[in-house]
Amino acid sequence: MTVLDGKAVAKKVRDEVKARAEAFAAAHGRKPGLHVVLVGDDPASQVYVRNKERAAAKAGLEGQVHRLPGDTTQADLEALVAKLNADPAIDGILVQLPLPGHLEAQPVLDAIDPSKDVDGLTALNAGLLVDGRDGLRPCTPSGCMRLIEETGADLTGQRALVIGRSVLVGKPVALMLLARNATVTIAHSRTADLEARVRESDIVVAAVGRPEMVRGEWIKEDAIVLDVGINRTDEGKLVGDVEYAAAAERAGWITPVPGGVGPMTIAMLLGNTVTAAERREARGPRGGR
Ligand code: NDP
């Protein structure tokens, strides 16, 4: 068994991003710009946004956070997104979720210019993924695929199981595995006999949010196991959706929690921002789609 070390791979990705950001700045006289919108004072979101801000600066990006009060109106939030869309020096826009209860997330996400949608959550980018065309891909699924690349495995004809069907993780990662010619099954809360599906799978991506629900003994010998889940136990410990110690005895490759998929997400976000910047400059000064 080999541990898929997300921290080490994320560092590699961040180094690559930094080199690309420097080349971009040398060619265009400005750094790629990532702007994050944070509404309200949710403590977890504040930590995530601070981490993104720091990582952006370290990777040679121009990063800015727009902190809006918790009682911001839908119209004011959408007006800010429109302003960021119109600014040619901004390449990536990310609206930190969840938004306070009185705001609707979907219209805000839909308002983001798809060429600046570094979270890959607009309908256009989702459609481009379905169609197998170039677009900005969601960060956590891209991080999963990058980790799978590290194994050197050819996914052609392999049986892949994605547990979870969210727009953020499950669905996009399933499409990405399909694009690599895996035979993909998507499991969810209504799936019958999850154990049997796991037992037959060469690749398992667990994105549920239930502590250690995938038992180690279900894992097929030598399978690749990616654990997206982040769960805090009553004792305050972080665990994934997979029973790690027992699964590690059977898997060929496995991601730990923490230190697996988690660190990849921000690294892929930085990569998306540089990609968005490069593509926008290649399309001309107005940065159209
Ligand atoms: P969601 O809550 O949006 O989706 C969870 C999915 O799991 C749903 O599709 C649900 O099915 C399915 N599910 C629930 N119970 C079961 C069950 N008993 N058996 C099989 N499937 C089940 O979560 P997300 O996709 O947003 O996130 C999943 C996990 O990944 C969370 O722990 C989250 O914290 C973590 N995460 C980690 C990230 C990272 O950077 N590492 C980034 C994003 C998320 P149904 O559709 O039927 O309800």
Side-chain angles (χ1 to χ4, degrees), residues 19-280:
R20 286 170 60 205
E22 283 167 2
F24 179 89
H28 303 290
R30 67 175 185 88
K31 294 176 178 180
L34 171 63
H35 284 229
V36 177
V37 179
L38 174 63
V39 187
D41 47 16
D42 178 68
S45 294
Q46 297 210 3
V47 173
Y48 294 146
V49 165
R50 241 194 331 271
N51 289 344
K52 285 168 189 169
E53 199 176 8
R54 262 192 228 130
K58 272 174 91 175
L61 272 56
E62 189 272 322
Q64 207 174 304
V65 179
H66 301 262
R67 291 185 169 81
L68 302 182
D71 60 357
T72 297
T73 64
Q74 187 86 26
D76 283 349
L77 178 55
E78 288 177 27
L80 173 61
V81 169
K83 197 176 118 202
L84 303 180
N85 281 342
D87 186 337
I90 297 175
D91 302 290
I93 302 169
L94 184 148
V95 176
Q96 184 67 41
L97 301 176
L99 293 172
H102 69 285
L103 295 172
E104 266 190 87
Q106 201 54 56
V108 179
L109 298 178
D110 286 343
I112 296 173
D113 177 341
S115 74
K116 300 187 177 189
D117 168 31
V118 283
D119 241 354
L121 294 177
T122 58
L124 184 81
N125 280 313
L128 292 172
L129 171 59
V130 169
D131 214 13
R133 286 194 277 156
D134 271 353
L136 293 166
R137 305 288 196 239
C139 302
T140 302
S142 300
C144 290
M145 296 311 292
R146 178 62 192 253
L147 286 170
I148 290 177
E149 244 173 61
E150 289 293 309
T151 69
D154 177 6
L155 305 193
T156 304
Q158 299 274 295
R159 282 194 187 200
L161 174 69
V162 178
I163 315 176
R165 56 176 163 181
S166 72
V167 168
L168 195 62
V169 189
K171 279 182 192 166
V173 87
L175 287 163
M176 291 178 190
L177 289 161
L178 187 62
R180 298 281 305 276
N181 298 319
T183 301
V184 183
T185 300
I186 305 178
H188 45 78
S189 65
R190 317 292 170 85
T191 294
D193 205 354
L194 182 65
E195 174 179 346
R197 301 287 77 74
V198 174
R199 283 190 185 277
E200 68 194 11
S201 298
D202 306 298
I203 299 144
V204 177
V205 180
V208 180
R210 285 175 162 241
E212 301 183 330
M213 67 165 288
V214 177
R215 310 314 298 172
E217 66 186 47
W218 299 355
I219 300 296
K220 187 176 170 182
E221 210 64 49
D222 293 330
I224 297 172
V225 180
L226 293 180
D227 192 349
V228 183
I230 303 175
N231 311 289
R232 201 170 279 282
T233 64
D234 293 341
E235 299 83 51
K237 209 179 133 209
L238 279 188
V239 297
D241 291 343
V242 178
E243 191 193 9
Y244 181 81
E249 282 177 22
R250 303 175 62 86
W253 300 81
I254 187 166
T255 59
V257 176
V261 176
M264 296 299 293
T265 300
I266 290 185
M268 302 317 278
L269 170 71
L270 304 175
N272 269 355
T273 304
V274 179
T275 300
E278 290 165 349
R279 288 185 184 159
R280 292 182 59 255

